Amino acid sequence: MAIPAIIVHGGAGRIPEDEHAAHLAGCKLAAQTAWKLLEGGASALHAVEIAVRILEDDPTYDSGHGAVLNRNGEIELDALIMDGATLDLGAIIAVQGIANPITLARLVMTDTPHKILAGEGAREFAIHQGIPLVSTTELATPKTRARYEQHKAGIPVSAEEPHGTCGAVAVDAHGHIAAATSTGGTPFKLPGRVGDSPLVGSGAYADDRTGAASATGDGEQIMRVVLCKAATDAIGAGMDAQAAADYAIRVMVERVNGLGGLIVVDRVGNMGFAHSDRNIATAWISVDGVMHAAMGRNL
């Protein structure tokens, strides 16, 4: 039997200091809830889905409730979940009206012959699955609405704009690995814009033979280096989880000057995280059951 492991993130970027506590509190709750599931014998796949659902329900983060608005004043959500045991995956792209996109992504994996559904097709699938639809008004917050109005009016927006993408990676008691990532994308994006989060290997990746990773940050740069696959491949080449996270971020900086971060777990439960932006909100539980949380680390 393996020792379960869980690490979650709530986004990278220039997270204002007065928001640090909220970012860490949500990550801690997600990690603690997922840990209890893993201790009870739940699969890594289930644990990462529930962890990300908790973050999607928290308006602190840019996914589900609290997601940013695009140039049309709409919320389009992306999510990806991956099972390291089988390499199976499910993703949704640019879907509207869904509070928990990560659950819809898992249903794409389990209840369709496909791997990715996008836009109206993903929305129609959600309705068919009995998932209740929610309005943009319900998902937006006063903060995201104010940010949208600033962008729309051409008013300069503070550089303190974190990438609130959320994600989780885990190993369960059977040694299986999973990863999940969910996002609302970037503020005032063009309708239909897709970043790294729902792209396998970029926003997340999981393989029982190596490890799992979930990314956050500037999606246009993350996808160019296939950040999460770079990290898990580094584990396969002999690096531990922390070294692999550092390596992947270093490659992104050197090759495309990218800003972002990622969390990593290897197949034996070692964990790590790294970032090139100022902060990344993370929480994890060590093998002794102790909760840890951080707003980043010095590289």
Side-chain angles (χ1 to χ4, degrees), residues 10-16 19 23 60-62 68 143 147 158-165 185-187 216-217 277 279 295:
R14 299 174 62 85
I15 302 173
E19 296 182 14
H23 274 79
T60 303
Y61 310 102
D62 174 21
V68 297
K143 181 178 179 179
R147 181 184 294 176
S158 168
E160 306 263 315
E161 283 202 286
H163 301 278
T165 296
T186 60
T216 174
D277 220 329
N279 307 115
M295 287 302 301

Side-chain angles (χ1 to χ4, degrees), residues 61-83:
Y61 310 102
D62 174 21
S63 184
H65 294 279
V68 297
L69 285 73
N70 67 17
R71 294 192 184 189
N72 288 346
E74 302 163 333
I75 290 176
E76 293 182 321
L77 301 167
D78 307 320
L80 167 66
I81 191 167
M82 186 167 184
D83 182 353

Side-chain angles (χ1 to χ4, degrees), residues 10 22 41 87 90 122 133 149 165 178 184 189 195 198 203 214 227 234 263 266 271 286-288:
L87 301 185
L133 300 181
E149 294 298 340
T165 296
K189 63 187 179 182
S214 171
L227 187 66
I263 54 174
D266 65 26
M271 293 173 282
S286 54
V287 293
D288 55 7

Side-chain angles (χ1 to χ4, degrees), residues 245-262:
D246 291 336
Y247 165 77
I249 290 295
R250 187 167 61 250
V251 168
M252 182 174 69
V253 171
E254 291 175 353
R255 296 290 289 138
V256 298
N257 196 30
L259 292 174
L262 81 167

Side-chain angles (χ1 to χ4, degrees), residues 72-140:
N72 288 346
E74 302 163 333
I75 290 176
E76 293 182 321
L77 301 167
D78 307 320
L80 167 66
I81 191 167
M82 186 167 184
D83 182 353
T86 62
L87 301 185
D88 205 1
L89 63 103
I92 56 98
I93 290 176
V95 68
Q96 296 187 28
I98 304 299
N100 293 114
I102 198 63
T103 292
L104 184 58
R106 186 174 180 184
L107 287 170
V108 171
M109 180 177 73
T110 60
D111 289 21
T112 81
H114 310 303
K115 304 306 175 192
I116 303 173
L117 290 179
E120 188 58 32
R123 181 181 170 94
E124 290 178 3
F125 175 66
I127 294 171
H128 182 266
Q129 292 290 314
I131 295 177
L133 300 181
V134 294
S135 66
T136 294
T137 301
E138 292 175 88
L139 294 177

Side-chain angles (χ1 to χ4, degrees), residues 231 234-247 264-266 268 270-272:
I235 293 172
M239 294 185 190
D240 64 24
Q242 186 58 62
D246 291 336
Y247 165 77
V264 179
V265 65
D266 65 26
V268 295
N270 298 313
M271 293 173 282

